[in-house]
Amino acid sequence: MRGNTLYIVVPCYNEEEVLPETARRLGDKLRTLMSAGKISPQSRVLFVNDGSKDKTWEVITRLHRENHLLCGADLSRNRGHQNALLAGLMTAKDWADMVISMDADLQDDVDAADAMVDKYLAGADIVYGVRSSRKTDTFFKRTTAEAFYRMMDLLGAETVFNHADYRLMSKRALEGLAQFKEVNLFLRGIVPMIGYPCDTVEYERGERFAGESKYPLKKMVSFALEGVTSLSTKPLRMITGLGFLVFFISLVMIVYNVVRWATGNTVAGWASLACSVWFIGGLILLSLGVIGEYLGKLYLESKGRPRFLIRQVLDGEAGEDRE
Ligand code: UDP
Ligand code: MG
């Protein structure tokens, strides 16, 4: 039987304006879930301060003093959203049976947590929060975000469509995650690799409660690049494809030029030059592609990802299934 201690992990970067309200709502949520008997009295909210420049950590310390359900962890410096989140998850996994990760700005609907806990209790290890619409996003954010998911798909990085980092993970899913040692971290792509039974919960994503987005365009672009390059080596393979294409074009040109020569229509010197440019170009791209293939393998090896995680073992001695 799995335990039912819940931790809600919230990465915070310069969030002093929203934190008191976030803390109030999350504290209330924990209390209602506790009195409904769904989660244990040891459940907590864990705020991770990601090296904020404002009073975020002071606010967290004060909140912790006022309410024992709220705790905090302070990173040594700003490490970015994904790393702050990982720090929180890895801290909470030792105490919790399930962890929900959520942004500090209350864009993620707190009430969807109930359904997530229900699905955990019904046996799911990972429950993805999926946004049912993007009505409240600006046109710019919506189109860029959707283009981002499409591009990820095209480049071979599997992600859950319209799922950000609002999700529940069980203890064993977190222990699986702990075995992914990579430094280039893109949680959204790694979590689906863990496996185990998973489920989704739909929710409406609202607007930021206060303050402004901590993801300016520059950070979004580098986030997207990080996502693709940390999950997939397809861009390297594309070089090979391009090489084949150019090589093929050079062959077509050679045939074309021979035909023109046979029919007596050649311009002196042009044919041999044009053919060799394409031929050599194709050859270079192909060789680069071959190097890329090996580089990609090397890159994936160097991550040292776990090759498997065992869901269940049946053995004669224990008499019952061990999870
Ligand atoms: N965040 C963080 N470190 C950073 C940037 C952001 O911990 O360097 C946190 C931020 O406090 C928030 C979450 O990541 O809880 C998502 O950021 P935000 O809401 O600004 O992103 P958006 O919703 O605009 O994409
Ligand atoms: Mg936000």
Side-chain angles (χ1 to χ4, degrees):
M1 177 56 196
R2 301 197 286 183
N4 62 348
T5 301
L6 168 70
Y7 266 67
I8 302 181
V9 169
V10 186
C12 313
Y13 177 62
N14 296 347
E15 300 283 11
E16 59 179 7
E17 290 156 89
V18 279
L19 266 183
E21 178 64 16
T22 310
R24 193 182 62 73
R25 292 210 205 160
L26 292 182
D28 288 351
K29 177 58 55 192
L30 279 190
R31 251 179 248 112
T32 30
L33 283 170
M34 279 178 198
S35 44
K38 285 187 184 168
I39 59 172
S40 83
Q42 283 78 42
S43 302
R44 296 286 182 273
V45 179
L46 177 68
F47 293 109
V48 181
N49 176 33
D50 184 17
S52 301
K53 294 192 190 73
D54 64 0
K55 296 232 177 325
T56 297
W57 182 243
E58 281 84 342
V59 175
I60 295 174
T61 335
R62 178 172 57 77
L63 290 168
H64 172 66
R65 242 183 288 122
E66 290 166 1
N67 183 349
H68 74 286
L69 292 179
L70 310 172
C71 12
D74 194 16
L75 295 194
S76 59
R77 48 166 283 223
N78 181 252
R79 293 293 289 127
H81 176 207
Q82 298 287 293
N83 287 306
L85 186 52
L86 184 77
L89 293 177
M90 291 301 113
T91 311
K93 89 173 181 338
D94 299 331
W95 305 316
D97 299 304
M98 52 180 145
V99 176
I100 294 181
S101 51
M102 181 187 274
D103 287 352
D105 55 6
L106 293 172
Q107 281 189 284
D108 302 326
D109 176 15
V110 177
D111 292 322
D114 298 60
M116 289 188 179
V117 171
D118 286 342
K119 299 217 157 151
Y120 165 82
L121 294 173
D125 279 271
I126 302 175
V127 186
Y128 299 100
V130 175
R131 2 192 350 179
S132 43
S133 74
R134 282 185 174 267
K135 279 202 288 272
T136 53
D137 275 356
T138 59
F139 173 75
F140 177 72
K141 181 104 190 177
R142 189 169 59 230
T143 35
T144 49
E146 272 169 9
F148 167 70
Y149 285 108
R150 294 242 166 72
M151 184 190 71
M152 294 288 287
D153 224 34
L154 223 65
L155 292 177
E158 271 177 49
T159 48
V160 179
F161 194 70
N162 266 343
H163 159 70
D165 281 304
Y166 187 23
R167 76 177 83 83
L168 178 145
M169 292 175 77
S170 71
K171 195 186 194 84
R172 73 172 174 175
L174 288 169
E175 277 161 0
L177 178 65
Q179 293 189 43
F180 286 76
K181 302 287 183 203
E182 51 211 83
V183 177
N184 294 304
L185 189 70
F186 190 73
L187 284 171
R188 260 168 244 189
I190 293 181
V191 172
M193 284 186 204
I194 298 175
Y196 296 132
C198 63
D199 214 328
T200 55
V201 165
E202 286 211 353
Y203 72 100
E204 278 296 324
R205 188 157 154 116
E207 284 181 51
R208 201 170 228 291
F209 184 75
E212 46 194 56
S213 174
K214 309 294 181 285
Y215 264 104
L217 184 62
K218 197 172 135 231
K219 269 199 200 171
M220 275 202 305
V221 170
S222 79
F223 184 62
L225 281 179
E226 178 90 332
V228 172
T229 53
S230 79
L231 285 176
S232 147
T233 49
K234 217 166 179 175
L236 288 175
R237 179 150 293 173
M238 284 177 175
I239 301 179
T240 321
L242 202 64
F244 273 117
L245 184 73
V246 173
F247 205 73
F248 180 72
I249 293 178
S250 87
L251 292 184
V252 171
M253 277 184 84
I254 290 172
V255 171
Y256 170 74
N257 279 307
V258 167
V259 170
R260 288 199 40 135
W261 173 78
T263 51
N265 288 324
T266 30
V267 184
W270 179 83
S272 52
L273 263 180
C275 285
S276 38
V277 166
W278 282 90
F279 189 77
I280 293 181
L283 219 57
I284 292 178
L285 277 176
L286 256 179
S287 335
L288 274 180
V290 171
I291 296 177
E293 288 291 319
Y294 284 99
L295 190 73
K297 295 275 181 315
L298 205 65
Y299 176 61
L300 293 178
E301 288 288 341
S302 71
K303 284 178 187 271
R305 284 178 182 164
R307 276 166 299 175
F308 53 83
L309 295 166
I310 294 175
R311 187 193 291 189
Q312 202 175 36
V313 176
L314 298 178
D315 69 3
E317 279 168 46
E320 58 179 298
D321 300 350
R322 285 193 213 155
E323 287 227 0

